[in-house]
Amino acid sequence: MNDKKNPENGTGLGRRRFINSAALAGMSLGALACTDKSGTAVAPAASGAAPAPAAHTGGASNASHLKPGELDTYYGLWSGGHTGDMRVLGLPSGREITRIPCFVPDALVGWGHTNESKKVMGTRADGNLKFSVADTHHVHASYKDGNYDGRYAWINDKINSRIARIRLDYFVCDKITELPNVQGFHGIFPDKADPVDPKINYTTRVFCGAEFSIPLPNTVGSDDGKTYHSLFTCVDAESMDVRWQVLIDGNCDLTATSYDGKLAATNQYNTEMGVHYEDMMSAERDACLFFNIARIEEAVKAGKFKTYGDSKVPVVDGTRDANKDAKTALTAYVSVPKNPHGVNASPDAKYFICAGKLSPTGTVIELAKVLDYFDGKLESADKAIVAEVELGLGPLHTAFDGRGNAYTTLFLDSQVVKWNLDAAIKFHAGDKSAKYVVDRIDVQYQPGHLNASQSETRAADGKYLAVGCKFSKDRFLPVGPLHPENEQLIDISGDKMVLLADHPVRGEPHDFIIFKRELLSPKQVYNLDDFPNAVKDPKDSGVFRKGNKVEVRMTSQAPAFSLREFKLKKGDIVTLTLTNLDKIEDLTHGFAIPKHNINFIVNPQETASVTFVADKPGVYWCYCTHFCHALHLEMRTRMIVEA
């Protein structure tokens, strides 16, 4: 490799060294504005960046290279980013198994084209989709007894403030809700239990944080940022209706929930309520904002709320001024170093960790002490901080191995740091001999999100760590100006982290979860009776007319459609319903109509429909687009449109 292109070579300015230098310079404004809080623990001088160990040739490295036909041991659910979908991976191989379309049309399956998917996505009065772009960031799944239960997963759309729910029995999106009164819906996390009823030990709520502040109601353009607010939202996990919202000071970023269901939290990087980036970095400390779920719901029940604009959603007051008395407060603002990015719950259910971003620190907040504050036992919510220690430059997100260790991405250092929570707490308390940093590993390059196997459950197993690097640079073959991102897999089963694999991914994915495959029981054939419009017998096929409104009903069964042809008249408004009567898994059929912008699939025993106008006289060969049979090419029917 040419020396000038080698990021590790000392001759010339390597790519990695350049981006570190540029990023560090770009962050200097925030760094200069940040002063250490008295008492903030600073780590002993750390040695230089450790080079990434080469993938070793023993058992752990082989785990990412499965034999033909060998199945992965974990599922991974990844946000798709600008593609508006959810990716499903197998781990440790890193193989992408499927994509689940959610917010954006998908040409493979016909999402956004079939009537059924349009109903989920939402349409305007003219029948067209309300939105056709999205930006998915965070993926989380439903819980029972502190572990994933295989029912649902949720994903956000930051652009249009929508939340989608995925049924994990069929890996399909079944509901989408647009959140009122907010913009920049970013953080998302389901609860893990009910705050009051111990019998409800599973997810019933999903919490959503709004990153951007806006006027309320947002009906008149105003440049006065002092009138803007953000809201924290609770969505019902089953109905997907919005239960309530909380008006707050500052903004929301990411979200976390406690295992007992009593607390939710969001980190805040803009407590200043700035509208320009320099204003957002002016405060020395920002906050991790805690929500007392039981008290909020009591306030809603008691009618202590407002509504805004056309929305009927109750909004309670969670601002500082309205919550000065801890014993009645709905919220608690714990100060953390400036512009934090990420809040994560430890699997022992004891702590939330906030990463500093513009501060080189991680803040450990003890949840029992937060509850003590709400009970009036602490004079300040900041007394819940049990550690605030130096980790490295640009800490963003944290994962856990279930053995007391945390793993935090360091964006500017291009590293992941492994650190021990108990040792960090001892160091913060004054024991300067406590060595809380356990290990460091270089990653390529500028890591953002990370997660470990089962990390966000009580069953964290400490086997694998995946890291989403925002820049791949020289790790893959060049494909023009737009580079893929680099998702790396690391073995964390031993004392030292070991890099196992690089995987190029199309930008721009963000967060993800990794869980054991036995937690899911996917169904590979639909239940015919779940579709009220199903054509259950080929004999029921036909063309049914009411004026110019026509319904074409047919079945598919490899290698034939039940109608060999069907006739329409120019100007007919046609609803075509197709049921796949094959019962064998992996026997999917497609249906395309040339010149009519129609292509969709039906999986075994599934029914789907499309509506279109037959406005072009002629003969159109409708054909199966999904390979299904040796006579797949012969699987056709004629649509004859008469003038």
Side-chain angles (χ1 to χ4, degrees), residues 126-143:
D126 62 3
N128 291 317
L129 293 176
K130 188 174 182 180
F131 304 110
S132 59
V133 298
D135 181 20
T136 59
H137 280 230
H138 295 103
V139 176
H140 292 288
S142 55
Y143 287 81

Side-chain angles (χ1 to χ4, degrees), residues 541-557:
S541 303
V543 178
F544 306 90
R545 177 179 295 276
K546 290 184 180 179
N548 70 333
K549 293 185 178 181
V550 178
E551 183 175 9
V552 178
R553 294 174 61 79
M554 71 173 74
T555 63
S556 61
Q557 207 161 6

Side-chain angles (χ1 to χ4, degrees), residues 42-69:
V42 180
S47 59
H56 51 136
T57 57
S61 63
N62 290 338
S64 65
H65 301 283
L66 302 184
K67 298 176 182 178

Side-chain angles (χ1 to χ4, degrees), residues 137-138 156-163 178-189 206-216 218 228-235 242 244-256 264-271 273-274 280 287 289 291 315 333 340-341 343:
H137 280 230
H138 295 103
N156 75 310
D157 167 23
K158 183 174 178 177
I159 296 177
N160 298 306
S161 296
R162 295 178 291 174
I163 178 173
E178 185 178 349
L179 306 183
N181 304 320
V182 302
Q183 284 185 20
F185 159 39
H186 189 206
I188 175 176
F189 218 101
V206 184
F207 299 112
C208 311
E211 189 175 346
F212 306 149
S213 300
I214 57 175
L216 294 172
N218 191 20
Y228 298 179
H229 280 282
S230 293
L231 299 177
F232 186 78
T233 301
C234 176
V235 174
V242 178
W244 45 259
Q245 294 179 305
V246 183
L247 182 78
I248 64 172
D249 291 326
N251 73 331
C252 301
D253 190 12
L254 275 71
T255 307
T266 182
N267 61 294
Q268 299 185 288
Y269 67 79
N270 188 18
T271 55
M273 298 295 289
M280 300 178 196
L289 172 54
F291 300 88
V315 181
Y333 294 76
H341 190 70
V343 56

Side-chain angles (χ1 to χ4, degrees), residues 39-360:
T40 295
V42 180
S47 59
H56 51 136
T57 57
S61 63
N62 290 338
S64 65
H65 301 283
L66 302 184
K67 298 176 182 178
E70 185 179 359
L71 299 181
D72 283 289
T73 49
Y74 298 89
Y75 281 100
L77 301 182
W78 254 254
S79 65
H82 304 162
T83 55
D85 55 15
M86 182 185 293
R87 297 189 296 139
V88 182
L89 273 63
L91 291 168
S93 74
R95 298 176 296 194
E96 182 174 296
I97 302 171
T98 191
R99 290 189 173 224
I100 306 170
C102 300
F103 300 112
V104 173
D106 182 271
L108 171 65
V109 302
W111 188 257
H113 294 277
T114 64
N115 295 324
E116 293 76 15
S117 61
K118 283 184 174 181
K119 184 178 180 181
V120 173
M121 295 178 74
T123 57
R124 302 181 186 276
D126 62 3
N128 291 317
L129 293 176
K130 188 174 182 180
F131 304 110
S132 59
V133 298
D135 181 20
T136 59
H137 280 230
H138 295 103
V139 176
H140 292 288
S142 55
Y143 287 81
K144 185 175 182 180
D145 293 327
N147 200 356
Y148 299 124
D149 64 5
R151 286 184 297 147
Y152 301 125
W154 291 270
I155 190 168
N156 75 310
D157 167 23
K158 183 174 178 177
I159 296 177
N160 298 306
S161 296
R162 295 178 291 174
I163 178 173
R165 186 178 73 185
I166 310 301
R167 284 182 55 172
L168 292 178
D169 54 352
Y170 289 116
F171 283 81
V172 294
C173 174
D174 73 331
K175 285 183 180 291
I176 293 177
T177 298
E178 185 178 349
L179 306 183
N181 304 320
V182 302
Q183 284 185 20
F185 159 39
H186 189 206
I188 175 176
F189 218 101
D191 71 356
K192 305 179 182 84
D194 188 83
V196 176
D197 188 349
K199 294 180 181 178
I200 302 177
N201 59 345
Y202 51 86
T203 295
T204 59
R205 306 165 182 82
V206 184
F207 299 112
C208 311
E211 189 175 346
F212 306 149
S213 300
I214 57 175
L216 294 172
N218 191 20
T219 54
V220 178
S222 170
D223 62 359
D224 184 4
K226 295 179 180 178
T227 66
Y228 298 179
H229 280 282
S230 293
L231 299 177
F232 186 78
T233 301
C234 176
V235 174
D236 187 280
E238 288 296 335
S239 68
M240 289 289 286
D241 294 331
V242 178
R243 287 193 183 185
W244 45 259
Q245 294 179 305
V246 183
L247 182 78
I248 64 172
D249 291 326
N251 73 331
C252 301
D253 190 12
L254 275 71
T255 307
T257 60
S258 63
Y259 281 89
D260 59 10
K262 295 179 180 180
L263 298 171
T266 182
N267 61 294
Q268 299 185 288
Y269 67 79
N270 188 18
T271 55
E272 306 92 333
M273 298 295 289
V275 296
H276 301 118
Y277 78 88
E278 62 269 22
D279 300 323
M280 300 178 196
M281 297 191 297
S282 61
E284 293 184 7
R285 294 178 73 85
D286 283 292
C288 182
L289 172 54
F290 284 84
F291 300 88
N292 188 313
I293 305 304
R295 288 186 188 175
I296 290 170
E297 297 193 343
E298 288 170 2
V300 171
K301 188 176 181 180
K304 299 177 181 179
F305 61 81
K306 294 181 179 180
T307 59
Y308 291 97
D310 296 333
S311 171
K312 302 302 181 185
V313 174
V315 181
V316 300
D317 193 341
T319 60
R320 293 176 184 268
D321 285 344
N323 293 272
K324 293 180 178 179
D325 184 355
K327 292 184 178 180
T328 59
L330 308 182
T331 57
Y333 294 76
V334 177
S335 77
V336 297
K338 64 187 299 127
N339 293 70
H341 190 70
V343 56
N344 300 93
S346 62
D348 60 7
K350 293 181 180 180
Y351 309 110
F352 281 1
I353 284 78
C354 271
K357 193 170 76 172
L358 295 191
S359 167

